[in-house]
Amino acid sequence: MGGMEVSVVHEVKGVNDLEKLKTGSILHIQDVYKAYGDNLILDDIDLSIAPGEFCAVVGPSGCGKSTLLRLILGQERTTTGQVLLNGSPIGSPDKDRGIVYQKYSLFPNLRALDNILFGHRLRMWPWQWGARKKELTEKAMVFLRRAGMENHSHKYPHQLSGGQQQRVAVIQALFSRPKILLMDEPFSALDPGAREDMQMFLLELWEESRLTIFFVTHDLEEAAYMGTRLVALSQYYSDERDPAELKKIGAKVVVDLHLREIGQAASPQVKTTAQFGQLIQDIRRDAFDPGYRQHVKDFSLNHPHSFYTLSSYEGGEEPT
Amino acid sequence: MKYPRLFGLHARPGPYLHWVLVALPFAFMICAYLISSHKMLAENPNAKLLPSVAKMAEATARLATEPDPRTGQYPFWQDTVSSLQRLGMGIVSAAIVGLLLGINMAMFPGLNSLARAFVTFLSIIPPLAVLPVLFIVFGVDETAKVILIFVGSVFVITRDIFLATLALPKEQVTKALSLGASQLGVVYRVILPQVMPRLFNTTRLTLGAAWLFLIAAEAIASTEGLGYRIYLMRRYMAMDVILPYVCWITLIGYTLDLGLRLWVGWRYPWYTK
C-alpha cells in the first residue's frame, strides 16, 4: 500500500450530523478513491443512500460508475475509503447485496425456474431443500406469472429473449431477499419496447417490496424516469489542481438530485413534460459535456443526504 | 437462382447427394483394397500382404469362437475386454483428476500459483519416454499400462478444463456469491456443472491419444489385449488377423466417440445451443 496519503478534513455540506447520516443510511460511501496503478478512476466519492431509495447513477462512458458498483458489490476493493452497508464495512460479495448485470446474470445450465430457486438451493442442505421445494416453487411461479412467463419456466436462458432473460434475472435477484439490489446497465442491451416493459416491471416490484436499488445506467432519460434520486458521476469538472499534472482526472459526484419521494414510482407520462426535458438538458450539460467544466464548488448537490468531505489523494499503487 | 450443388462456398448438396458423398471415400477405399487383393492373390495364392475378405473373416471367426486350448478363453473377446478395461480405467481416472485439478487451479489463485507451471512442465514430458520407468517401477502387469494412459491424458484434460473454467464469465462467480453460495458452493455447484460437457468433449478428443498409449504398452509387455495380438501376429505376417483387429479398434473408438457425443447432446441440451 506504499505511498498512499489521504488527508481528510470533514467539511460536511448539507448534513449537520455525519454520524447520524452514517447510521441512518443503508449504504454509506465516504472518501472512496479507486485507482488502477497511477490511473485514478474515482476521486473522493461521498454518497449516502437511505433505505428504500431508488438511486439511479448516470455518467459518461468510462467515468467509473460500474467501478463504483463493483466496489459496493465487493467484487473489487477500494484503494482507500469506506463502504458501509447498514453501518458495517462490506466484504466479498454475499447475499446482502443482489446483482443484476447486463448479461451473464443467469446460469446457462439451469432452466428459468431453477435459476430463480438456485439461491435458496445453494444455501440449503439437500434434505432442507426437499422440505421446502414445493412452497418455494409455488412462490417462484407467482413471480413468473406476474412477469407473464409462466409458460417459459422450463426453458433454458438461451431459449428466452433478452427481455425475458432480464425478467428472470430480476426475479432471481429479488427472490433471495437482498438488503440492496445493485443493477449494472440491466436494460441497456434491450430494444426500446422490451426496455420500457422492463422499467415498468422493475418499478412495480420496487414499489411493493420497498427494496433499496442502486441502478447504474448510461441512459440519462432512464435514470431521470426511474430514480427517486439521481446521481451523476463525471470526470468533466475543474478544481484547483493543474489538469496537466494529473494522469487522468478521476470522476466525482457532480449532480445529486432528489427527484421524488421514496416508494413512489414515476408514471411514464412524466417523460413528456417540459420540466423533465429541462432536467435532462441540465444534467447533460453538467455531467456529459466535456466542454463544460463546472467548478467543484458549483456542483448541484441538492439531495438532502448529499454531503462531501474534503480529502486529497497523493497517488500510490493499488494494494496487491 | 439456384444454389450450386457441389462446388463453392454457397454449395448445398441436398440430403441425397450428401449421403452419396459421405459413402464415396469409404467405397473407394474398399474397392481399391478388393481389386489389389484380387490381383495379388491371382499372381500368388499364398501372398500374405492383402488377404481376401473370406480369409480375414475365417481368421477372425477362429479367434472369436474357438477357445484357446491353453487358457480356455476366446482370444478375440479376451483381447477386447482387457484392452477396454485398461483404456477405461486410465481415461476415467484421468478425466476425474483432470476435472478437479483444472477447475480448482482456475478458481483458486493460490493453487494456480502452486500448480500451473508444474502441470505445464509435466504435460510436456513425452509419456512414451517414461514408459520404461513405469514398467520398472510398477512392474509389467496392469498398473503400468493404466498409469501410462492416465499420465498421457490427465495433463491435457487438466489444461483444457483450466482454460474452459477461466473462460466462464467472472460475473457468474459474483452472482453466485450474491445469492448466498459458499466458496466451495461456487466451485462445485456453479462452475463444475458448467464445465461437465466440456469434460466429455475433451475426453473424446483425448481418447485418440489414449489408444496410442494403450497399444504401445500392450505391444511391449502383455499377454493379452488388442495391441498385444496385433504385434504378436506381426511376427507371422498374419495380415488376416491384423487388419480385422485394426478395423475392430477403429469401430470401438468410433462408437465411444459417438456415444459420448450423443450423451453430451442429451444430458446438456443448453451446451450445444
Side-chain angles (χ1 to χ4, degrees), chain A residues 97 99 106 109 123 172, chain B residues 172 175 178-179 189 270:
Chain A
R97 287 155 287 162
I99 172 76
L106 297 177
N109 56 326
R123 299 194 297 269
Q172 178 197 44
Chain B
Q172 301 246 318
K175 178 78 214 189
S178 81
L179 290 174
R189 297 180 72 178
W270 49 270

Side-chain angles (χ1 to χ4, degrees), chain B residues 213-230:
Chain B
F213 300 130
L214 172 74
I215 288 168
E218 285 181 345
I220 292 171
S222 194
T223 53
E224 81 283 298
L226 298 165
Y228 160 76
R229 191 72 52 197
I230 289 177

Side-chain angles (χ1 to χ4, degrees), chain A residues 2-302:
Chain A
M4 180 183 311
E5 200 72 40
V6 179
S7 54
V8 182
V9 183
H10 286 280
E11 182 187 302
V12 184
K13 190 202 132 197
V15 177
N16 301 327
D17 190 344
L18 191 60
E19 281 309 307
K20 205 172 159 193
L21 183 67
K22 215 186 238 184
T23 49
S25 300
I26 186 159
L27 181 69
H28 186 86
I29 299 168
Q30 194 176 319
D31 311 323
V32 162
Y33 292 84
K34 179 67 183 175
Y36 296 107
D38 287 341
N39 208 352
L40 189 60
I41 305 294
L42 295 175
D43 186 344
D44 193 9
I45 303 295
D46 298 313
L47 188 62
S48 203
I49 295 174
E53 195 96 66
F54 194 123
C55 181
V57 179
V58 282
S61 63
C63 75
K65 50 194 189 300
S66 291
T67 305
L68 179 60
L69 179 131
R70 286 197 295 274
L71 294 179
I72 300 169
L73 187 57
Q75 196 177 342
E76 287 183 45
R77 309 289 156 110
T78 60
T79 304
T80 66
Q82 291 184 296
V83 180
L84 307 175
L85 188 72
N86 280 335
S88 2
I90 57 129
S92 299
D94 59 26
K95 75 183 258 305
D96 288 345
R97 287 155 287 162
I99 172 76
V100 174
Y101 292 106
Q102 184 174 343
K103 47 183 184 173
Y104 305 130
S105 293
L106 297 177
F107 301 103
N109 56 326
L110 298 177
R111 297 164 196 275
L113 179 64
D114 295 326
N115 255 296
I116 295 171
L117 296 171
F118 196 49
H120 285 277
R121 252 190 116 155
L122 278 171
R123 299 194 297 269
M124 287 180 197
W125 294 103
W127 55 90
Q128 294 174 308
W129 168 245
R132 295 196 58 200
K133 184 179 178 186
K134 196 160 169 265
E135 166 216 338
L136 288 168
T137 304
E138 272 166 24
K139 268 192 186 167
M141 284 308 291
V142 171
F143 273 107
L144 279 172
R145 213 163 290 134
R146 284 192 54 182
M149 290 190 56
E150 65 269 39
N151 296 327
H152 303 286
S153 64
H154 61 282
K155 287 190 181 167
Y156 287 103
H158 76 271
Q159 297 170 307
L160 301 171
S161 72
Q164 289 170 331
Q165 286 181 18
Q166 288 310 74
R167 264 161 215 260
V168 177
V170 170
I171 299 172
Q172 178 197 44
L174 287 179
F175 209 67
S176 285
R177 303 200 149 278
K179 292 180 177 147
I180 182 168
L181 178 60
L182 308 170
M183 308 185 87
D184 192 359
E185 306 265 5
F187 310 147
S188 298
L190 305 180
D191 59 80
R195 191 172 182 147
E196 262 172 47
D197 289 348
M198 277 308 300
Q199 291 172 346
M200 304 274 274
F201 180 63
L202 178 62
L203 284 177
E204 219 179 278
L205 293 176
W206 168 74
E207 250 182 333
E208 76 192 46
S209 66
R210 313 207 151 264
L211 190 70
T212 314
I213 297 183
F214 187 89
F215 186 96
V216 168
T217 176
H218 66 264
D219 182 341
L220 186 48
E221 284 193 28
E222 181 171 71
Y225 164 56
M226 303 280 286
T228 54
R229 177 173 181 179
L230 191 149
V231 171
L233 292 183
S234 180
Q235 64 275 50
Y236 306 136
Y237 62 85
S238 64
D239 56 13
E240 273 68 41
R241 291 174 292 183
D242 176 7
E245 269 178 34
L246 301 161
K247 268 239 162 180
K248 190 194 161 196
I249 291 184
K252 285 182 183 296
V253 175
V254 303
V255 177
D256 187 354
L257 300 176
H258 172 83
L259 296 181
R260 41 191 82 83
E261 293 308 314
I262 288 174
Q264 287 177 8
S267 86
Q269 277 81 41
V270 89
K271 288 188 209 170
T272 56
T273 61
Q275 203 189 352
F276 189 80
Q278 186 58 46
L279 178 71
I280 301 282
Q281 252 180 31
D282 290 348
I283 301 170
R284 182 153 290 145
R285 186 198 57 204
D286 290 352
F288 288 79
D289 181 1
Y292 181 88
R293 288 174 187 256
Q294 259 185 322
H295 193 267
V296 181
K297 294 227 158 69
D298 305 325
F299 289 162
S300 30
L301 308 176
N302 302 335

